[in-house]
Structure formats: structure tokens, C-alpha cells
Amino acid sequence: MNKKIIFQTGSALISILLTALITFGFLFILGRDPVVIFGRIFSEVFGTGYGFAQTLFKTTPLIISGCAIAICFHAKLFNIGGEGQINAGAFVMALTATSFPGLPFLIILPLSILTGFIVSAVFGFIPAVIKVKKGVSEVITTIMLNFISLAMVNYFLISHFAVESTIRTTKIPENFFFTKLSDFIPSFHGSPLNITLFIALLLALIIYFTIYKTSIGYKLRAIGFNPVASVYMSVNVNKYTIVAFVLAAGMMSFVGLNYIFGYKGFYEYGFSANIGFTAIAVSLLARNNPIGIIFSAFLFGFLDYGGLAVNELVPKEIMLIFQGLVVLSILGVNKLTDNYLKINLERN
Amino acid sequence: MIPAIEFKNITKQFGNLKANDNVSFAIRKNSVHCILGENGAGKSTLMKILYGAYQPDSGKLFVDGKQQNFHTPHDAINAGVAMVWQHFMLIDDFSVLENVILGNEPISGIKIDFKTAQKKINDVITKFNLGLNPDDKVEKLSIAEQQKVELLKILYRKPSIIIFDEPTAVLSPVEVDEFFNIITKLKDSGNTIILITHKLREVIQIAERVTVLRQGKKVYEAEATEIDEDILGKEIVGDSSFEIASETKLETDGEKKVAILEKAGLSSGGYSKLNDINLVLRAGEISGICGVEGNGQNEIVDILLQLLSVENGTAELNYSSVSVVPDDRIKKGMISEYTIGENVITRKMGFEIALKAKLKKLSEILIKSYDIRTPDYFTPMGNLSGGNQQKAIVAREIENQSELIIFSHPTRGVDLKSSLFIHDEIIHVRNSGRAVLLVSSDLDELFKLSDRLIVLYNGQTVKEYEPLELKSRLKDAESFTVEVGKLMVGAGIE
Ligand SMILES: Nc1ncnc2c1ncn2[C@@H]1O[C@H](COP(=O)(O)OP(=O)(O)OP(=O)(O)O)[C@@H](O)[C@H]1O
Ligand SMILES: [Mg+2]
């Protein structure tokens, strides 16, 4: 078992290395010095407290959304609808937080989390029910729901809730903001990194435990491995399909905490910057293991912030290419290690 | 004469377990050779080595006198070695013809040359008397016919050595005879046949030579003329006393009716699957359903599990919990990726925390009390031998203590000794006052266990033998077997 984990971690590292090499080559062809550029990224991220905090700030929503995607992946369900789920949930979360001026923070916060969760969950419930009742692939329905969700949010925002001539909601009161980590670690000063990071880490641990150490997790993965046998083993496949989707989609709304309560204080259209899609890559790189997702989310956070840091040297798109390449090489290298493990682990 | 196959000191290890331990023997050309042994003795492993699916850790393999190192099944096929898998790999939506040529399509220009294919396939079908229609869709075929399609796929590629791993486990007695006719034809046209089975009667009937494996080692070899069922039985289990304390059936009244199907009917995809099923399951009673596979058994099971509901008639289900040992262990019975303990956890109703120690304990209980042979507690069930997978599933379901337990072919692929053990457990379940439905195509098993016997043909219960009647009819088992055998294939109905 341990051997397996070592091999799988190894294969993730090889994917990353492979991608780094290709990106090096790519930069070289473009006539840039890859050593200078990567050196700059590393010194920005690890050399300054601010850069490190910014990277962690970008990592936070990826841990949350990556873990959410992983729940679905374990049941062999494909949730491509993260982007729509995040926006719908965060939008409602922000509205809730600003709609009851008299109420104290300790009531507003759980209420906002709850309404956000419910609205996001609805966007997971719909494709799950359509799949269970009619057998329509969730890939198609979740992609379609992205359009629907974003269009609805856009409409309600522009027509009713946006602050004049902006595409954002009104701001929450100052005393509603989460504690920033720079309050404790001065070198983080200037970065909005906040306690949402700890919420994300806690979520990762809870989901890890649930998936690998409880009967719920075993049933959830069973419907992914062998849905027919699951039925005969009296696992309610339909129920678990819906539960997985509702939980995953609902959890997506927590991405809003980092931005709304941790950073800006409002929902702004487009704030999610494709996190719902990046989450798929984050989860895949970690083979859907929530502990691994913490690390792969950090890698993607690193690339994201690193890309900004070298913005004047290379176009930010280079980092997007890097992210895309990582996914491709993960899929390839994983396949190879899986075959190797199949052949060799049975041998000894 | 050069043997068709020679194994020389073949050793294959999984972890600490030697699945094949220095095995050497030869298989004569153009003969029918049976390989016997307990569950987990290493039969399938040896065949997988011959077929290129596994590589041996040491030892040599000779095919037609030439040393071979097969790295993939593809290499083996090229050398004329073919295997009929126990688990069919057919595409349901395709016709027989399409399944056969898949991956080996005759091409003319840029199109598949269906005419040539059709002709070639028809030739093989007539030559070996397979009785298949190339245009039939696979989903409409019975298990026995699907097996023939698998065979046809192989014959189309003209092998010289054909391996069958427990082909008869899924067949009813009539179908076994038919299958053996085909085997004889294959032999007559020059093929070498290797056959694995747990049914000693079949060995006596068809084998020319036998090899027995025990715990990975070759322990016995003989010509057909030197053997009988007793000798084989002893060689298979070794010196250890071959006795099972048989449980006797207690008198139970069988009054409480846990399920009643009355004139039940059901159709799917335009075909009528069940019509006019009358069945009453009673607590403390074993109801046996006997019939050729595919005559409605699975639909009845699915109704009892509430996976299907009847369209005509009524189904009254009065039990609070039900367990099932399904007919197809790989597809329906287990999560292959999970260990035994993990399968148990998945099967449990309530919420449980499943740490390693607990999973180990759950595995341990079943492994110990049901003598499941496995490299260790944490071996995924997919890596157990076929019979041991079956034992683990039976154990898991019995331990579940449900009010009704359905056993569908409970000893399929299980060796003699373990079969007796499982039979005992089934009687034990009955004696404890629970209701049992036993579906099987093995008449001996049905006669031994059933309190009440229902014969199923074409989705109908064509005959029901009440407990008293059954008891008296079984006194003359031979003529009863003939009668039931006829009813099973629809003879003497209307
Ligand atoms: N891939 C594997 N990994 C680990 N152990 C394995 C693997 N394949 C087989 N084994 C083990 O090797 C032993 C022999 O298995 P094998 O399938 O050859 O038995 P068999 O004689 O065919 O038994 P059966 O009659 O039950 O089919 C078993 O204990 C099994 O658990
Ligand atoms: Mg076997």
C-alpha cells in the first residue's frame, strides 16, 4: 500500500517536472531566459512574506473547489459545473450578508454560508436528478448549467443588485471581515490571506476522513468502481449520486468566503476566474486525494501568483499553458505508473 | 512425441504466497487434459502464465517443443494458444458476427468484408455444431450460447491449444453434455484441450489425463484409466481428513410466509421475461428453483430485491431485510478493488468508521470461519481465486443475518470440500428459522438442500414439488432427475 502511494506521488512529481521541462523549452524558443523567469517566480513566492501569503491566498479557493470536485470523482461523476455553482452560491452569500443590516455577525455569517450552500447545491442537485431519472450524462448538463447560472447571476446583478455602474454587490460592514493572517505575521502585510485558509484545510481533512475512513466513503467509491455490484450490495446508487453532487456543488459556495468575507467584502461578477475548471486539474493531479489536493492546489496557486509576478517578462498565458500541460502529462504519466503498478505490485 | 505444452519448474509468487511452486508436467498433443485442485491451488495462475497474462518468476514454458516467453496474451495467441474466459467479454448490442470479427475484421478496399466473414463463421459453426445464428444479437442469447460465441471468437483465429477455465460452472447438465460434444469435435479436428473443473464426474467423463495441484505444487498426475472419483477427491484435498460434519435439517413448520408471488409477470425491452410465476417463500424453509439459466431466475431475484417490480399479478414482500449471493460474482457480487473487510463495510447498513484495525478484524472473521485462502487480509478481492471470491461473498451475506437469504448458484466455482461446507451453512441458516431461496442449475445441490422445489421454464413456474412429495420422489433420485431434467427444457408442457 505504502509503495503505491510513493509511486503515485512520484508520478505526480514526474508530471510536474516534465511540464517544467517543456515550458523551459517553450520559453527558450520564445527567446526568454527560462532560468531568469523561474528564478524570479521562486524568489517572489518564497523570498518575500507578501508573495508567499499571496500564493496561499490563491491556494485557498483551489483547496475548497478541488476537494469538492474530488467527492464527485470518487463516485466517477464528472462535475464540470463548478464555475456556475461557485458564482451562484457566492452571489447569494454576498446578498445575504448585506440584506439584514440589524443582525449581528454571528448570525449573518452562518446564514450567509447556509443560503450560499443551498443555492450552489441546487445547481448540483439538478444534473444529479436528471442523471438518475433520465440517464442524461452529467457532463453535458453541468456544462449547460454553467451558462444558465452565470447568465442568471449576471441578470439579477445588473438589473437589481449591483452598485451603480459596477458589476458588484454592496459591501458588507467593516466588522464582518475575517481576521487576516497579517495581523499575526507582519511580513504578510498587504496580503488579504485570511482564516478561510484554515477552513479549507479543515475541510480537506474532513473529506479525506469521510472518503477513506467511513462506510459512507466506501459506498461513495463503490458506486464509482462498480455500480451494478453496489446495487446488489444494497448501496442506494441513486441516493449516493445525488448526495455526492449536492455536497460537492454546495461546497463550491465556500469559495466565496475567501473573496467576500476575506478580501473585498462584496460579490463581483467574474471574481472566480475559472476556479471551477482549475479545480478539475487540481483534483486530478492529486488523484482525488484531499490531502494531496492541498499540495496540488498550492502548485496551481504558485503558478497563478508566479505568473502575475513575472507579468512584465512573459505573458501570463505562459502559466496557463503550463497548467494545461500539467494536466495532460498527469494523465499520461498516471496511465504509465498505473500499468507499471499493475504488473509489478502483483509480482512481489 | 513432442508434447503440446511442457511446464518446467514454473514458480509464481504473489507477496509471500507461492501460487505456483516449482510446477513441472507435460500435456500431450491432441488430448483432453484436466487440471484439478482446491480453490486457490494455483490452476488459473498457471493457465494465465501459459496464456501470457502473467509472467513466471522462474521456470520455463515449452509450446510444441519450443521455449516461449509470452509477454502478453497477444504473443500466446500468435503461438496458437487460446483461452476461453469464464467471464465473457462480449458486446451485448452487437450481433454474433460483429462480436466475432471485432478486432480482426476482414477488409476489402476500405470496407469490412461481411460476406467473407459470414462465410468463414458459418463454416466454423457447422463444423463444430455450435448451433448459433451469426445475425442474432448477443443480448438475446443464453449463457451457454454466449459461451459458444466466446469459443467461436477463438476458433475463428484457428488456435491449436484451447484452455477452458471452469467452463461448465455456468451450465446445466444438458448443456454440459452438449459442451462435451463440442470438446470431442475440437479434439477430433486436432486441437489440444486443457480443462479446469471442480466436478469430478465430468473429469471421469472427458479427461484423458489429469494433473492435480495443491497449494501451488503439482501433487498428482495420472491417466484416465487409473482414476476414479475417490482417488481424485483424496488427491485434491491431501491427507487431511476429508470429512464434514453434516448438519441435518431440523423439523420446521415453514408456516410464516415471507414472500408471495402470485401470477407474477414482467417484460423488458419487448420480451416477456416472466409470466405466471407462483412462488411462496416461507421462514425456516429452503425453496429451490431449478431451471436452465436465463429462464427468469434473475428476474425473480430482482423482484425480491425490489430492483424490479411486477407488471402483472402480485408480489407481496413481507420481510424486513434480505441478503443475496448473486449469480455473477464479478459483475454483481463484490467491489474487486476492495479487500474482504472493505466489502463488508460497504455492505453494512448504518454509518461506521472504518479504520485499518477494524477492516482487518472484519476480514479475519470471514477468512477464518470460511477457510478463505488469500495472500493476506488486505488483498483486494479481485486478486483472490475465483472460488475464494465466491466463498467470501457467501460468508459476507450469511453473516448479515437477514430474514430472507437468496443464494444464486452459491457453490459456482467452489471446490468440493468448500461446497459441502457452504451447503452446511445454508442448512444452518434455514434451521435458524430464516427463509432461503436457492437458485441453481446443479440438480444434486438442489435435491440435497431444497425442502420445496420449483421448476422454472421460460418465465413460468411449470411445476412445484411440495415438501412431502419431494421427499418421497427423491427416494428414486435417478428417475426424478430425468423427470426434472425434462421439465427444465420444456418437455411435457402443454
Ligand atoms: N494478481 C494476484 N495478486 C495477488 N494474489 C493473487 C493474484 N492472482 C492470484 N493470486 C493468489 O494466488 C492463489 C492462486 O490463485 P488461482 O486463481 O490460481 O487459484 P485457482 O486454483 O484457480 O482457484 P479457483 O479454483 O478458486 O479458481 C490464490 O491464493 C490467489 O489469491
Ligand atoms: Mg481459478
Side-chain angles (χ1 to χ4, degrees):
Chain A
M1 275 296 128
N2 278 332
K3 210 167 187 172
K4 202 165 140 194
I5 290 175
I6 293 169
F7 269 109
Q8 292 181 343
T9 315
S11 89
L13 291 178
I14 291 172
S15 314
I16 294 165
L17 218 67
L18 200 72
T19 313
L21 274 177
I22 298 172
T23 315
F24 259 55
F26 206 68
L27 288 170
F28 198 75
I29 293 168
L30 287 181
R32 313 290 162 86
D33 186 345
V35 179
V36 170
I37 290 168
F38 273 84
R40 177 79 167 269
I41 295 177
F42 272 93
S43 68
E44 277 292 334
V45 171
F46 295 106
T48 68
Y50 172 77
F52 189 64
Q54 281 300 82
T55 304
L56 289 181
F57 177 70
K58 300 223 174 260
T59 303
T60 304
L62 290 174
I63 296 176
I64 296 170
S65 54
C67 286
I69 291 278
I71 296 176
C72 284
F73 270 140
H74 276 291
K76 297 252 158 58
L77 298 167
F78 293 85
N79 180 9
I80 320 290
E83 198 61 14
Q85 293 152 11
I86 290 171
N87 278 280
F91 175 55
V92 172
M93 182 185 276
L95 286 185
T96 313
T98 50
S99 296
F100 306 96
L103 291 180
F105 178 65
L106 281 181
I107 291 178
I108 286 290
L109 179 66
L111 195 64
S112 311
I113 291 177
L114 186 71
T115 52
F117 185 92
I118 290 172
V119 170
S120 285
V122 166
F123 282 89
F125 182 73
I126 295 168
V129 167
I130 295 177
K131 182 185 173 73
V132 165
K133 294 271 181 223
K134 298 286 168 203
V136 179
S137 161
E138 72 278 14
V139 175
I140 299 166
T141 45
T142 49
I143 290 176
M144 290 306 149
L145 279 168
N146 275 336
F147 295 120
I148 294 173
S149 161
L150 289 172
M152 280 171 69
V153 169
N154 194 1
Y155 168 76
F156 282 116
L157 189 63
I158 305 284
S159 65
H160 292 288
F161 299 105
V163 173
E164 190 76 40
S165 74
T166 68
I167 46 169
R168 64 174 180 82
T169 59
T170 46
K171 209 165 172 179
I172 58 173
E174 278 308 318
N175 60 336
F176 280 13
F177 277 85
F178 283 166
T179 312
K180 297 212 169 19
L181 296 200
S182 55
D183 292 355
F184 310 105
I185 307 172
S187 67
F188 284 1
H189 182 77
S191 165
L193 178 65
N194 60 86
I195 55 164
T196 312
L197 174 66
F198 299 120
I199 298 175
L201 291 175
L202 188 68
L203 271 175
L205 289 178
I206 292 172
I207 288 170
Y208 174 86
F209 187 81
T210 312
I211 286 179
Y212 293 109
K213 305 289 176 195
T214 70
S215 54
I216 293 180
Y218 276 106
K219 289 179 193 211
L220 185 79
R221 285 183 292 145
I223 72 168
F225 283 129
N226 186 343
V228 175
S230 300
V231 169
Y232 283 89
M233 289 165 72
S234 69
V235 176
N236 188 334
V237 174
N238 290 350
K239 182 177 106 185
Y240 275 87
T241 301
I242 294 174
V243 167
F245 247 109
V246 165
L247 279 183
M251 237 180 90
M252 288 289 185
S253 67
F254 298 164
V255 165
L257 291 175
N258 196 43
Y259 191 84
I260 298 165
F261 289 94
Y263 181 26
K264 294 277 184 161
F266 50 74
Y267 168 87
E268 183 166 25
Y269 190 75
F271 90 98
S272 56
N274 285 336
I275 283 169
F277 296 113
T278 312
I280 296 170
V282 168
S283 184
L284 279 179
L285 178 60
R287 286 181 187 242
N288 314 319
N289 179 328
I291 304 293
I293 284 173
I294 296 173
F295 295 97
S296 68
F298 181 77
L299 173 76
F300 280 81
F302 168 85
L303 291 176
D304 201 0
Y305 178 69
L308 287 178
V310 291
N311 213 353
E312 75 266 32
L313 296 179
V314 284
K316 192 175 184 290
E317 281 68 30
I318 290 286
M319 289 303 139
L320 288 180
I321 293 174
F322 193 109
Q323 291 183 3
L325 282 173
V326 170
V327 177
L328 287 180
S329 72
I330 298 161
L331 296 176
V333 175
N334 276 0
K335 192 84 207 152
L336 289 178
T337 31
D338 283 354
N339 289 345
Y340 178 83
L341 283 172
K342 246 200 200 115
I343 296 165
N344 283 274
L345 276 195
E346 77 189 14
R347 212 177 259 179
N348 34 55
Chain B
M1 197 168 80
I2 302 169
I5 292 156
E6 190 173 1
F7 299 103
K8 257 203 175 140
N9 309 105
I10 297 280
T11 296
K12 173 79 184 172
Q13 208 159 335
F14 297 109
N16 292 325
L17 182 124
K18 282 191 174 154
N20 290 148
D21 188 355
N22 205 18
V23 174
S24 303
F25 69 97
I27 293 171
R28 256 199 321 272
K29 249 188 203 143
N30 196 209
S31 69
V32 178
H33 194 118
C34 279
I35 298 180
L36 311 176
E38 285 184 304
N39 295 131
K43 307 176 295 292
S44 297
T45 303
L46 191 65
M47 291 305 106
K48 284 178 187 163
I49 288 172
L50 173 57
Y51 187 61
Y54 288 162
Q55 278 73 49
D57 298 333
S58 63
K60 288 181 185 142
L61 170 67
F62 296 87
V63 177
D64 287 326
K66 236 174 75 193
Q67 195 191 335
Q68 295 279 14
N69 293 310
F70 297 144
H71 291 292
T72 62
H74 195 76
D75 298 343
I77 291 170
N78 286 338
V81 179
M83 179 135 163
V84 177
W85 294 95
Q86 197 173 341
H87 306 286
F88 308 141
M89 297 181 218
L90 300 172
I91 300 175
D92 279 352
D93 271 347
F94 278 17
S95 70
V96 171
L97 175 96
E98 288 163 336
N99 266 288
V100 171
I101 62 172
L102 191 69
N104 208 0
E105 304 88 350
I107 303 287
S108 83
I110 54 162
K111 285 201 325 235
I112 296 179
D113 185 355
F114 280 108
K115 271 229 174 77
T116 315
Q118 181 112 22
K119 189 174 170 311
K120 260 174 89 180
I121 287 173
N122 273 325
D123 287 348
V124 181
I125 291 176
T126 356
K127 183 170 172 196
F128 296 105
N129 221 345
L130 296 181
L132 291 170
N133 178 355
D135 297 325
D136 278 347
K137 271 205 176 169
V138 162
E139 63 182 359
K140 275 176 35 189
L141 302 182
S142 72
I143 302 284
E145 286 168 324
Q146 292 187 19
Q147 192 174 53
K148 287 181 194 166
V149 180
E150 284 286 352
L151 180 60
L152 184 58
K153 259 165 75 177
I154 279 170
L155 293 175
Y156 184 72
R157 278 148 229 210
K158 297 201 168 38
S160 61
I161 298 160
I162 307 174
I163 310 165
F164 293 92
D165 194 349
E166 300 190 34
T168 56
V170 292
L171 302 180
S172 67
V174 192
E175 294 168 324
V176 171
D177 290 339
E178 210 179 308
F179 174 74
F180 281 170
N181 286 336
I182 296 171
I183 294 283
T184 313
K185 281 223 168 69
L186 286 171
K187 181 184 134 61
D188 290 345
S189 65
N191 291 291
T192 306
I193 313 290
I194 306 175
L195 192 72
I196 297 178
T197 176
H198 289 292
K199 298 185 181 143
L200 302 181
R201 199 190 303 156
E202 296 175 358
V203 179
I204 306 289
Q205 195 180 341
I206 193 100
E208 291 166 44
R209 194 174 168 78
V210 299
T211 300
V212 177
L213 300 182
R214 197 192 308 141
Q215 295 182 359
K217 295 196 179 69
K218 185 200 79 181
V219 293
Y220 182 73
E221 245 186 310
E223 287 297 310
T225 49
E226 309 164 34
I227 55 169
D228 60 32
E229 288 191 35
D230 274 350
I231 297 176
L232 291 180
K234 289 214 178 81
E235 290 298 342
I236 287 170
V237 292
D239 292 329
S240 61
S241 65
F242 178 42
E243 260 173 54
I244 294 252
S246 242
E247 187 118 4
T248 44
K249 288 191 208 161
L250 302 174
E251 284 301 322
T252 48
D253 52 11
E255 270 315 297
K256 189 180 168 228
K257 298 175 178 173
V258 299
I260 306 166
L261 299 190
E262 217 167 324
K263 289 199 162 65
L266 178 68
S267 59
S268 104
Y271 307 109
S272 158
K273 292 283 188 186
L274 293 182
N275 50 78
D276 203 14
I277 293 289
N278 295 294
L279 179 71
V280 180
L281 303 180
R282 296 169 174 83
E285 194 175 279
I286 299 174
S287 306
I289 289 191
C290 117
V292 176
E293 208 160 324
N295 277 278
Q297 292 92 329
N298 284 347
E299 285 75 14
I300 293 178
V301 171
D302 286 352
I303 287 171
L304 293 171
L305 294 173
Q306 293 180 287
L307 302 178
L308 291 176
S309 38
V310 294
E311 289 161 5
N312 313 309
T314 56
E316 201 181 304
L317 313 177
N318 304 323
Y319 41 86
S320 60
S321 56
V322 55
S323 288
V324 60
V325 175
D327 58 320
D328 185 331
R329 58 173 163 261
I330 306 269
K331 269 195 206 143
K332 301 183 191 168
M334 62 190 201
I335 308 296
S336 307
E337 290 83 354
Y338 285 179
T339 66
I340 294 176
E342 291 171 336
N343 268 280
V344 173
I345 277 286
T346 307
R347 177 70 179 83
K348 290 214 165 154
M349 288 321 225
F351 172 82
E352 299 208 26
I353 288 178
L355 300 180
K356 207 162 179 178
K358 178 167 195 177
L359 294 170
K360 179 174 170 189
K361 205 167 136 223
L362 289 172
S363 289
E364 207 166 28
I365 295 169
L366 300 194
I367 288 171
K368 284 234 173 83
S369 50
Y370 289 78
D371 187 27
I372 298 164
R373 311 276 170 88
T374 164
D376 67 51
Y377 301 119
F378 298 116
T379 305
M381 272 188 74
N383 287 350
L384 301 189
S385 83
N388 283 305
Q389 291 170 346
Q390 183 72 20
K391 285 199 265 178
I393 293 167
V394 170
R396 183 190 74 204
E397 294 303 312
I398 288 182
E399 293 302 307
N400 233 23
Q401 309 281 345
S402 300
E403 213 180 322
L404 166 66
I405 306 194
I406 302 167
F407 293 96
S408 210
H409 309 276
T411 57
R412 176 174 278 173
V414 175
D415 66 37
L416 207 65
K417 198 172 151 192
S418 305
S419 296
L420 293 177
F421 179 76
I422 289 177
H423 288 166
D424 259 32
E425 290 300 311
I426 293 175
I427 294 173
H428 192 74
V429 167
R430 165 201 180 278
N431 287 350
S432 69
R434 289 179 274 160
V436 175
L437 176 67
L438 172 66
V439 178
S440 181
S441 44
D442 180 343
L443 291 183
D444 294 337
E445 179 168 85
L446 283 163
F447 291 174
K448 175 180 167 192
L449 298 177
S450 305
D451 294 305
R452 176 187 297 274
L453 190 67
I454 293 110
V455 186
L456 196 66
Y457 175 71
N458 206 7
Q460 289 183 32
T461 42
V462 293
K463 176 88 186 160
E464 173 163 353
Y465 296 96
E466 298 277 336
L468 285 178
E469 189 187 1
L470 183 63
K471 226 176 197 169
S472 76
R473 294 303 308 274
L474 279 173
K475 285 188 183 121
D476 182 2
E478 215 153 293
S479 75
F480 188 53
T481 306
V482 174
E483 178 179 318
V484 172
K486 275 190 186 148
L487 288 171
M488 275 168 65
V489 293
I493 300 166
E494 276 132 277

